[in-house]
Amino acid sequence: MSITSEEELFGMKQVSNAVAETLKQMREHAVPGMSTKQLDDFGGNILNQMGAKSAPKLTYGFPGWTCISVNNEVAHGIPTEARILKEGDLVNIDVSAELHGFWADNGGSFILGRDLNGLQPLVDVSKQILKKAISEIKGGVKIADIGKLIEMQAKQVGYKVIKNLAGHGVGRSLHEEPHDILNCYDKYNTARFKKNSIVAIETFIATHSSYADQQEDGWTLIGNRGGYVAQHEHTIMVTNGMPIILTAANEIWA
C-alpha cells in the first residue's frame, strides 16, 4: 500500500508494533524442552490480547498462529506438539497479522541457548545484510539492485541466498505489489521502490541451498541442498531518505 494520510500511517504503526512485540516476546519465551505448538500458542495469545489476527491463518488457513521453522526448515514450519525445541537449535519465527484493516509482517532467526552447531555467524550475517539492504532503499531505487546487494554481500562471506523466496508489498493485505523483492539479482525486474509505499524486506541467507522446496505437508519449506538458512524481516515505509522501520520493536538488531 501507499501511505496517503496520518491515519493510515498510525494504523500501520499499530499493527507493526503488534507483530514486532509478539516476535520479541516469543523469542524471549522460547526454551529447550518446549514444543513449537506451546511457543506458537504463547504468540497467538499476545496477538489476541492486542486485537490482532494471525495473517497466515486468516489468509491461507495456516495451521498455526505463526510460522516456526527449526534447523533444516527454511520457512513456513507448522507448530506441533511433537516438535520439541533443543539447546543449540536454529529457530525462525515469522509473525504477521491484521489489525483494524492494516497488515504487517516480520521475522527473525536465533540460536536457542548455546551455539552448539556454530551457526551464530550465519544469524549475524543475515541481520547485517538486512540492515545494509534497508539502508539503501528509498524512492526510485531499483528493486533488482537491492536483490543484487543481498546476494553479493552473502557471497562475500561464503554464504548463498534462497532465490525463490522474496520480500513483498504489505499493508492492506499480507502480500501486495511488489511481489518479488528477491534476495538475488533479476535483470528482468525493472520496477523501483516508490516513496510512501509499505514493503516487507527479508533476507534468506543459506549455508548450502539456493532454492526452497515445499514438503508433503503443503507448507514447510526445506533447502534443496540441505544445510541451514537464517531469515530476518522488517516491515518498512519507503521515503526519499532512510526508510521508517515500522517493526523496529522486535529488536532483531539489538
Side-chain angles (χ1 to χ4, degrees):
M1 72 175 289
S2 181
I3 297 294
T4 60
S5 68
E6 284 298 321
E7 289 77 16
E8 288 180 339
L9 180 56
F10 178 75
M12 280 308 306
K13 285 180 176 179
Q14 270 195 313
V15 67
S16 296
N17 186 69
V19 297
E21 187 62 35
T22 301
L23 175 60
K24 176 177 178 285
Q25 290 192 38
M26 288 179 71
R27 188 175 63 235
E28 293 170 349
H29 185 70
V31 291
M34 174 184 290
S35 74
T36 54
K37 173 86 165 50
Q38 287 175 297
L39 182 57
D40 181 57
D41 285 342
F42 175 81
N45 284 333
I46 297 170
L47 290 175
N48 289 335
Q49 288 167 15
M50 293 184 174
K53 297 175 183 175
S54 163
K57 190 181 282 285
L58 193 60
T59 305
Y60 302 114
F62 182 74
W65 303 102
T66 68
C67 299
I68 303 177
S69 308
V70 184
N71 291 330
N72 66 319
E73 297 170 347
V74 177
H76 303 167
I78 300 172
T80 66
E81 290 287 5
R83 191 62 183 262
I84 305 300
L85 297 174
K86 302 186 300 295
E87 186 92 16
D89 277 347
L90 174 63
V91 182
N92 176 266
I93 302 174
D94 194 309
V95 183
S96 54
E98 179 273 338
L99 179 64
H100 303 317
F102 296 94
W103 303 64
D105 195 356
N106 73 159
S109 296
F110 61 97
I111 307 299
L112 187 63
R114 292 172 295 147
D115 184 19
L116 302 178
N117 300 306
L119 295 171
Q120 191 62 50
L122 175 68
V123 172
D124 291 342
V125 164
S126 177
K127 292 181 185 181
Q128 291 159 8
I129 294 177
L130 180 64
K131 182 178 278 190
K132 174 67 174 172
I134 287 176
S135 74
E136 297 292 326
I137 293 173
K138 60 183 177 181
V141 169
K142 282 187 177 180
I143 290 173
D145 286 346
I146 296 302
K148 184 177 183 180
L149 181 153
I150 293 170
E151 187 173 23
M152 295 307 296
Q153 292 274 317
K155 279 185 178 178
Q156 285 173 11
V157 287
Y159 292 124
K160 301 176 184 295
V161 297
I162 300 297
K163 296 183 177 183
N164 62 329
L165 295 177
H168 51 89
V170 68
R172 286 299 190 180
S173 61
L174 180 56
H175 292 103
E176 301 177 347
E177 292 287 349
H179 290 295
D180 295 314
I181 307 175
L182 295 170
N183 278 209
C184 58
Y185 184 63
D186 176 6
K187 66 180 180 181
Y188 298 106
N189 186 354
T190 59
R192 297 174 184 267
F193 288 101
K194 297 177 182 178
K195 181 188 175 186
N196 296 333
S197 66
I198 304 293
V199 291
I201 305 297
E202 51 191 321
T203 51
F204 290 95
I205 310 302
T207 58
H208 294 79
S209 294
S210 296
Y211 293 90
D213 296 331
Q214 191 174 81
Q215 302 306 291
E216 289 183 2
D217 63 21
W219 297 105
T220 309
L221 297 173
I222 302 287
N224 65 324
R225 294 192 174 180
Y228 297 89
V229 178
Q231 179 259 14
H232 290 89
E233 176 183 22
H234 271 305
T235 290
I236 68 172
M237 175 178 167
V238 180
T239 72
N240 279 340
M242 286 293 288
I244 298 170
I245 301 171
L246 298 171
T247 47
N250 65 26
E251 297 183 2
I252 61 176
W253 289 334

